[in-house]
Amino acid sequence: MARSLDGLVLAPVADQAPGQVGARTRFTYHERQGEIWAEYAGGDVVRGRLVGTREGDRLDFRYVQLTRDGTTSSGHCVSAVVELPDGRVRLEETWEWESRQGNGTSVVEQVTAHEH
């Protein structure tokens, strides 16, 4: 199993559609006894939260977010936790909006201190 996500900051490796998470978005993860949660913001996202569970290297969580245009959205995501050769963590995500149409995949990776 890859190491704990607690305290790690992750960022998308590519922009998603406008009004969604993008390369400037930062996720700060927390983990304790199979529970995971995170706060995120940046780019078009003013404020976002996610909460869910971790079993082994699989995350299952719901997310909600507020974007700069004042809209709110929510969805569900399942992620695989992968440890990169350089020791950083990558999440390979499959997500689906629940409050509107749309789904897809994305990748977020741990950022180093100077990339925050």
Side-chain angles (χ1 to χ4, degrees), residues 63-111:
Y63 56 89
V64 294
Q65 65 185 40
L66 170 66
T67 52
R68 293 199 183 282
D69 66 5
T71 59
T72 59
S73 303
S74 62
H76 176 239
C77 184
V78 174
S79 300
V81 182
V82 177
E83 191 152 355
L84 297 171
D86 64 5
R88 293 179 307 125
V89 170
R90 168 188 283 165
L91 301 180
E92 298 173 351
E93 306 178 317
T94 301
W95 52 268
E96 179 178 22
W97 291 109
E98 294 179 329
S99 61
R100 59 184 167 126
Q101 294 293 318
N103 61 64
T105 60
S106 55
V107 173
V108 296
E109 292 183 352
Q110 182 180 351
V111 296

Side-chain angles (χ1 to χ4, degrees), residues 1-22:
M1 184 166 98
R3 73 176 190 274
S4 172
L5 301 177
D6 196 51
L8 299 185
V9 176
L10 292 91
V13 297
D15 283 327
Q16 300 293 321
Q20 296 182 24
V21 163

Side-chain angles (χ1 to χ4, degrees), residues 18-60:
Q20 296 182 24
V21 163
R24 293 185 321 241
T25 308
R26 295 293 179 267
F27 293 79
T28 302
Y29 272 83
H30 310 279
E31 180 176 352
R32 188 169 299 120
Q33 299 175 337
E35 301 172 5
I36 56 145
W37 66 99
E39 305 84 35
Y40 60 99
D44 288 335
V45 177
V46 174
R47 185 177 314 279
R49 298 284 185 268
L50 66 84
V51 63
T53 58
R54 178 176 182 172
E55 273 191 49
D57 288 334
R58 182 181 184 273
L59 307 181
D60 188 331

